[in-house]
């Protein structure tokens, strides 16, 4: 039997839709994967929030969290992240409070700040702003840290702007992030007051105790707020690897102990695909470049292609540069290879937990990847 690892592993699921698969198929696969992840020993099952993507069905994480919690028994369930500007704080408190009341001591609520920029020339929150020391690829303690680049290229795509319009977002509304976080927590603790000093009872949130997290991709407001409030921080290596070390350093530099957390606590995400051997893993993972290119080019996540269809996908030099950082920082291989890469990620970041996201065309390959990793890691 493998020796148990001291570093917990958790799952981040986007509910990807594969080619020739329906959204219902993808969501049912998410629930089935959650059951398998619990049995394999993963600690948390977190759900992402994405909108207007043909290839991602995870657009209602609070609803899906309830379905996942109902299908499982012990694994913690939550969001990574709930994008605060898409809701009013009371709505979030009531939704998560409902789940926390039914599934006590199992809910995690992750706060995310993504939203429209204040001006067309300003990058959207979560898009790394290249700095002088991020203009070239680095290797830090064995970890590849690629050059910084905007997640969506030079121009924010129309689809992203349309999403903001449909969700009622407005330029600069992310400036409300800190107040929204404080308000939501206040609904749970009973400390919320209106601007006129009135008490508010948010049933069923009041008295419930989900675990609060703040997630961020840069050394910006999210990292600083997580430190200021003494909350655990989710750092993003799988989408914004160029700035992961800076975001963690910013969080730790601003950390103040709180009632729930005495020392900084970080979970770092990684894109992973494991198969019995490296050849099989790379074959299964062929569709990844085409899928990431859809996102980075502004088209949005496409239905994940089959390995055979993806084999015909080619990109020019400009498109290749757009996705190179994602390809270079995805861990693909046999269990031993991927385990070693994840230990490098943990060592370089000092993370207390790792968050694994895995996408494949066949849900069975995705589930098998998590199972093989759990066994090799020693869960």
């Amino acid at each position: 039997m493998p020796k148990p690892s001291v570093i917990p592993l958790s799952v981040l699921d986007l509910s990807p839709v594969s080619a020739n698969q329906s959204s219902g198929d993808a969501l049912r696969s998410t629930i089935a994967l959650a059951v398998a992840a619990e049995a394999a020993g993963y600690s948390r099952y977190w759900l992402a929030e994405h909108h207007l993507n043909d290839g991602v069905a995870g657009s209602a994480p609070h609803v899906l969290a309830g379905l996942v919690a109902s299908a499982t028994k012990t694994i913690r369930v939550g969001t990574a992240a709930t994008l605060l500007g898409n809701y009013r704080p009371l709505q979030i408190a009531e939704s998560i409070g409902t789940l926390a009341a039914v599934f006590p001591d199992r809910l995690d609520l992750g706060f995310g700040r993504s939203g429209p920029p204040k001006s067309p020339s300003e990058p959207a929150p979560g898009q790394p702003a290249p700095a002088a020391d991020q203009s070239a690829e680095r290797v830090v303690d064995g970890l590849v840290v690629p050059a910084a680049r905007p997640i969506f290229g030079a121009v924010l795509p129309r689809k992203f702007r349309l999403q903001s319009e449909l969700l009622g977002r407005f330029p600069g509304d992310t400036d409300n992030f800190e107040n929204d976080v404080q308000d939501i927590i206040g609904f749970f603790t009973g400390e919320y007051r209106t601007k006129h000093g009135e008490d508010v009872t948010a049933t069923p949130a009041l008295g419930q105790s989900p675990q609060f997290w703040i997630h961020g991709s840069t050394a910006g407001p999210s990292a600083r707020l997580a430190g200021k409030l003494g909350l655990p921080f989710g750092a993003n290596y799988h989408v914004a690897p160029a700035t992961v070390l800076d975001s963690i350093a910013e969080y730790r530099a601003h950390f103040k102990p709180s009632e729930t957390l005495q020392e900084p606590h970080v979970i770092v995400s990684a894109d992973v695909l494991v198969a019995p051997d490296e050849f099989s893993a790379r074959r299964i993972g062929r569709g990844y470049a085409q899928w990431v290119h859809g996102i980075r080019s502004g088209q949005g996540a496409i239905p994940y292609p089959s390995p055979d269809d993806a084999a015909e996908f080619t990109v020019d030099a400009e498109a290749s540069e757009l996705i190179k950082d994602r390809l270079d920082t995805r861990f693909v291989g046999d269990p031993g290879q991927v385990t070693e890469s994840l230990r490098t990620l943990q060592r370089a970041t000092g993370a207390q937990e790792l968050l694994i996201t895995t996408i494949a065309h066949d849900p069975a390959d995705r589930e098998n990847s998590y199972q093989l990793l759990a066994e090799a890691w020693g869960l």
Side-chain angles (χ1 to χ4, degrees), residues 309-329:
D309 291 340
E312 302 176 2
F313 175 72
T314 58
V315 295
D316 57 26
E318 182 178 354
S320 178
E321 182 61 25
L322 191 63
I323 63 176
K324 184 178 184 298
D325 62 327
R326 294 288 301 270
L327 301 183
D328 290 349
T329 56

Side-chain angles (χ1 to χ4, degrees), residues 12-355:
L12 173 62
D13 192 358
L14 282 64
S15 301
V17 181
S18 296
N20 301 317
Q21 185 185 46
S22 70
S23 295
D25 293 332
L27 294 169
R28 284 186 287 271
S29 293
T30 281
I31 296 169
L33 181 59
V35 173
E38 179 177 71
Y42 287 86
S43 298
R44 309 175 192 272
Y45 201 94
W46 284 352
L47 301 157
E49 179 179 342
H50 295 281
H51 300 278
L52 301 186
N53 284 282
D54 296 341
V56 172
S59 58
H62 305 156
V63 175
L64 191 52
L67 297 173
V68 168
S70 294
T72 54
K73 294 181 174 62
T74 58
I75 195 169
R76 296 192 67 88
V77 179
T79 61
T82 294
L83 304 182
L84 297 198
N86 295 346
Y87 314 85
R88 300 298 299 163
L90 180 60
Q91 291 175 298
I92 296 172
E94 289 175 337
S95 295
I96 296 300
T98 297
L99 297 179
V102 177
F103 305 102
D105 302 321
R106 288 186 59 198
L107 264 293
D108 296 335
L109 173 55
F111 300 119
R113 185 175 165 268
S114 180
K118 292 182 180 179
S119 67
S121 62
E122 180 184 346
Q127 295 217 79
D133 61 347
Q134 298 168 354
S135 59
E137 181 175 297
R138 298 175 289 157
V139 177
V140 179
D141 199 11
L143 181 71
V144 173
V145 181
R149 69 200 70 200
I151 292 174
F152 295 118
V155 179
L156 202 62
R158 170 59 184 161
K159 177 168 284 193
F160 191 89
R161 298 183 187 280
L162 178 59
Q163 169 188 303
S164 295
E165 292 171 13
L166 293 174
L167 290 170
R169 305 296 298 269
F170 57 89
D173 66 5
T174 54
D175 289 346
N176 297 325
F177 184 68
E178 179 170 352
N179 288 336
D180 287 349
V181 169
Q182 299 269 30
D183 287 349
I184 292 166
I185 294 175
F187 285 129
F188 284 92
T189 62
E191 297 173 347
Y192 177 84
R193 299 291 183 273
T194 70
K195 61 182 179 180
H196 302 296
E198 300 166 293
D199 295 343
V200 172
T201 299
T203 305
L206 182 62
Q208 307 304 326
S209 302
Q211 191 173 101
F212 301 112
W213 290 73
I214 292 180
H215 298 269
S217 297
T218 68
S222 296
R224 291 191 287 271
L225 181 60
K228 173 184 174 180
L229 299 182
L231 295 177
F233 180 63
N236 190 344
Y237 183 70
H238 82 283
V239 169
T243 50
V244 66
L245 298 180
D246 299 321
S247 68
I248 294 171
E250 189 79 353
Y251 162 65
R252 290 179 175 144
H254 287 80
F255 183 83
K256 297 179 180 179
S258 65
E259 291 184 5
T260 57
L261 193 63
Q262 294 301 302
E263 297 179 349
H265 189 99
V266 175
I267 191 168
V268 177
S269 64
D271 224 317
V272 168
L273 183 61
V274 185
D277 57 81
E278 183 180 6
F279 177 82
S280 298
R282 297 203 173 278
R283 181 186 182 279
I284 293 168
R286 281 177 184 167
Y288 187 72
Q290 188 174 356
W291 186 78
V292 171
H293 182 263
I295 298 170
R296 287 285 176 87
S297 65
Q299 176 184 356
I302 62 172
Y304 201 88
S306 70
D308 291 339
D309 291 340
E312 302 176 2
F313 175 72
T314 58
V315 295
D316 57 26
E318 182 178 354
S320 178
E321 182 61 25
L322 191 63
I323 63 176
K324 184 178 184 298
D325 62 327
R326 294 288 301 270
L327 301 183
D328 290 349
T329 56
R330 191 189 198 200
F331 303 145
V332 180
D334 64 40
Q337 291 171 314
V338 172
T339 295
E340 183 62 28
S341 295
L342 287 173
R343 294 201 184 282
T344 297
L345 176 66
Q346 188 277 324
R347 182 180 65 249
T349 61
Q352 283 72 40
E353 304 182 43
L354 295 177
L355 182 63

